[in-house]
Amino acid sequence: MLRTASALTLLTVLCLAAPATAQVGQPLGPWDGQNPFNCVNQDVGTGTDFPHPHADPFCVEFDKTNQNVTDFGIVDFLSKEPARTGIAATKCFYFQQDHWTGSVVQGQNPEIWHWDGRYFFDEAKGIGGVAVHNFRIGGQPADFTPYVPAAYRPYVYPGGGGGVIVAQESNPNPQCAKKVDTPRERRAVYGSAPRYPGCIAPGGRLRGRHVGRVRLGEPRKKLWSRLGKPRRTKHRVDRWCLVGAASVRTGYRSRQTSHGEGHASRVTTIVSTSRGHTIHGVGRGTKTATAKRELNLRPRFKLAAARVLEAPRNPKRRAFVGLHHGRVRWVALADPHELSTHGIRTALHRSL
């Protein structure tokens, strides 16, 4: 029986065999794995006998569940990967779905790994996407985060996957762009726009006074215009659902405008439960001991069941983490120019 460490090492290698869409690029937004093209799905099972090899958009489905050890299924699988990736190299519009399972004996437990993958690239636009669902190690749902580039982690959810659209490293192909330069051609090629209903994209990393797409000191009105109406508003706190089974919550403090008329609400606290929003690599899910070591955290106060610790102070922001059951549950930034420690505690309490 393969040891777990060996299985994970092999899994990482196999991830590299995914189409070119999986290469690291600038993330543009979430993707739920929906096929963006109008095309016929060419289900070729475990083989490479494509019924319509010249189609473009080219849409294909592979069965990669025969990655066994005893019957050399893993060897057969790897021998067919060049033909599978080669067919994609000539296409302008490509969508692939596949199903991966590794085992010692084909069709028998223990299952070493499993996931269902979806990928696409659009050479006319210079974009691609990768989405993974039902990720398991040893037959159990597992966190896909360790196998994802850091820039993609805001789009991964704890249940075993996630998806992201990226800008490809290469520029859009002008010859492919010519194939969709009229409304009629675009209708023929594109089926639907990728979407992930119900939640907003997490945006970028936590940096400076920014947490993803939110910034300390930003007017509430401006934030709403960019993110849309929050899912919930209560006690001067707005809550948005984030892709990746997470949320971002913003607290406000009203102050008089420069003209002395009325009050303008600006962001004074930001709380995020996204795994991709980290302070020097520390974010939701990080072990308490690691968080304390990496951030030199100091205890500040307790909120409900969480212990709140603070990183060394910065003139532009104060950074906090909430710890519960040995792991980080959330990270937060607060504006030191607007709130005292007591004010921060009150604001965080309202956000939780």
Side-chain angles (χ1 to χ4, degrees):
M1 180 176 179
L2 290 179
R3 293 183 302 171
T4 301
S6 299
L8 294 179
T9 299
L10 185 55
L11 171 62
T12 303
V13 172
L14 291 177
C15 283
L16 299 178
T21 58
Q23 60 183 295
V24 177
Q26 177 64 38
L28 301 177
W31 182 47
D32 60 2
Q34 181 175 338
N35 187 350
F37 306 121
N38 286 320
C39 53
V40 175
N41 181 50
Q42 303 185 51
D43 188 347
V44 297
T46 60
T48 56
D49 186 12
F50 307 107
H52 310 287
H54 302 295
D56 195 6
F58 187 89
C59 301
V60 65
E61 183 170 359
F62 296 116
D63 180 351
K64 301 180 180 181
T65 61
N66 62 336
Q67 298 169 35
N68 63 77
V69 177
T70 56
D71 294 329
F72 299 100
I74 189 71
V75 176
D76 179 69
F77 156 74
L78 291 173
S79 70
K80 293 175 180 177
E81 283 301 278
R84 290 168 175 156
T85 57
I87 194 71
T90 62
K91 307 303 178 183
C92 287
F93 312 100
Y94 181 88
F95 173 81
Q96 172 184 321
Q97 54 185 322
D98 52 29
H99 315 281
W100 301 59
T101 303
S103 59
V104 178
V105 179
Q106 183 64 29
Q108 298 184 25
N109 289 326
E111 175 187 88
I112 304 175
W113 63 73
H114 175 83
W115 75 87
D116 299 309
R118 294 193 173 194
Y119 325 88
F120 86 92
F121 63 75
D122 183 338
E123 294 290 340
K125 297 180 179 179
I127 62 174
V130 57
V132 172
H133 300 285
N134 304 317
F135 183 72
R136 300 191 297 266
I137 294 292
Q140 298 298 316
D143 183 7
F144 193 61
T145 305
Y147 309 98
V148 176
Y152 299 172
R153 289 175 184 169
Y155 304 93
V156 176
Y157 54 80
V164 61
I165 297 175
V166 302
Q168 292 181 313
E169 294 180 346
S170 58
N171 293 324
N173 185 327
Q175 297 304 316
C176 294
K178 288 182 180 179
K179 296 183 177 182
V180 287
D181 59 1
T182 68
R184 182 176 181 178
E185 289 173 334
R186 287 192 290 272
R187 286 193 298 269
V189 169
Y190 298 114
S192 63
R195 59 184 183 273
Y196 200 113
C199 299
I200 64 172
R205 295 173 292 176
L206 190 156
R207 66 195 187 284
R209 288 166 62 86
H210 289 257
V211 178
R213 303 172 68 189
V214 186
R215 178 178 60 83
L216 289 175
E218 184 173 22
R220 190 180 199 177
K221 184 177 180 180
K222 182 178 179 180
L223 182 62
W224 279 39
S225 68
R226 184 168 67 257
L227 300 186
K229 187 177 179 180
R231 174 167 289 190
R232 184 182 178 191
T233 296
K234 187 177 181 180
H235 300 313
R236 290 187 184 175
V237 175
D238 293 334
R239 293 170 172 81
W240 283 270
C241 167
L242 297 181
V243 174
S247 67
V248 64
R249 309 158 196 175
T250 56
Y252 305 90
R253 183 179 181 183
S254 296
R255 62 182 181 181
Q256 196 169 7
T257 65
S258 59
H259 301 290
E261 299 176 358
H263 292 76
S265 296
R266 293 181 179 270
V267 177
T268 55
T269 56
I270 308 170
V271 179
S272 174
T273 62
S274 172
R275 290 173 179 263
H277 294 156
T278 62
I279 306 171
H280 300 301
V282 173
R284 179 179 175 88
T286 303
K287 292 182 178 179
T288 295
T290 302
K292 288 181 175 179
R293 183 180 66 250
E294 295 297 323
L295 296 182
N296 191 25
L297 297 170
R298 293 292 182 268
R300 281 294 175 258
F301 42 82
K302 194 171 182 179
L303 290 177
R307 291 184 295 129
V308 181
L309 283 70
E310 183 177 7
R313 297 191 182 185
N314 180 303
K316 295 183 179 180
R317 72 177 194 189
R318 293 179 66 178
F320 300 86
V321 300
L323 304 175
H324 185 54
H325 289 322
R327 292 186 180 272
V328 174
R329 296 304 177 191
W330 48 262
V331 297
L333 296 186
D335 192 333
H337 304 297
E338 297 289 339
L339 298 174
S340 63
T341 298
H342 176 73
I344 292 171
R345 179 175 182 172
T346 301
L348 293 179
H349 178 71
R350 290 172 175 169
S351 298
L352 300 179

